[in-house]
Amino acid sequence: QLQLVESGGGLVQPGGSLRLSCAASGFTLDYYTIGWFRQAPGKEREGLSCISSRGGSTNYRDSVKGRFTISRDNAKNTVYLQMNSLKPEDTAVYYCAGDRNGLCGSYFYTGKGMDYWGQGTLVTVSS
């Protein structure tokens, strides 16, 4: 089965850190631009960060710039999102998505045309 699987979510206190993983199953991530998105209750989905297929280019939205870091290990077929200095407003379901022909940037963050989406992992930031 071809899919992306996120893991690493959970409950963390404000100011804490989490690392999310996005692993590909049934295909290789090497040729895919991968992005992280989130959706909080009652809010629209928000694109956060993306990384090019070889990892040479990354991009971040202002809401997470300086706090989140995206990386990839193609040998492990996995993309990561290191989240530091977490805030209550970061509470959401986090998704990864992949686009074989995608380029990191504003259009990528619309989420349109993605080849794969993960099922999401819940991050709750609360004391």
Side-chain angles (χ1 to χ4, degrees), residues 16-96:
S17 298
L18 282 176
R19 189 177 79 158
L20 304 182
S21 298
C22 171
S25 176
F27 67 101
T28 179
L29 282 180
D30 288 22
Y31 305 108
Y32 288 80
T33 295
I34 302 294
W36 285 96
F37 299 76
R38 69 185 178 191
Q39 188 164 20
K43 294 188 176 181
E44 293 188 353
R45 184 180 63 203
E46 175 187 17
L48 303 175
S49 180
C50 55
I51 187 167
S52 61
S53 59
R54 299 298 181 182
S57 175
T58 59
N59 187 275
Y60 299 91
R61 299 297 289 270
D62 287 345
S63 57
V64 302
K65 195 175 295 183
R67 299 190 299 124
F68 291 10
T69 303
I70 192 170
S71 62
R72 67 192 300 156
D73 186 341
N74 285 348
K76 294 183 178 180
N77 222 20
T78 302
V79 171
Y80 304 98
L81 186 68
Q82 177 67 42
M83 305 188 297
N84 298 329
S85 302
L86 283 162
K87 307 173 182 179
E89 51 264 43
D90 293 317
T91 295
V93 177
Y94 285 70
Y95 301 88
C96 63

Side-chain angles (χ1 to χ4, degrees), residues 105-119:
S106 57
Y107 183 80
F108 190 94
Y109 292 135
T110 68
K112 296 178 181 178
M114 295 293 169
D115 296 302
Y116 299 103
W117 284 91
Q119 82 291 346

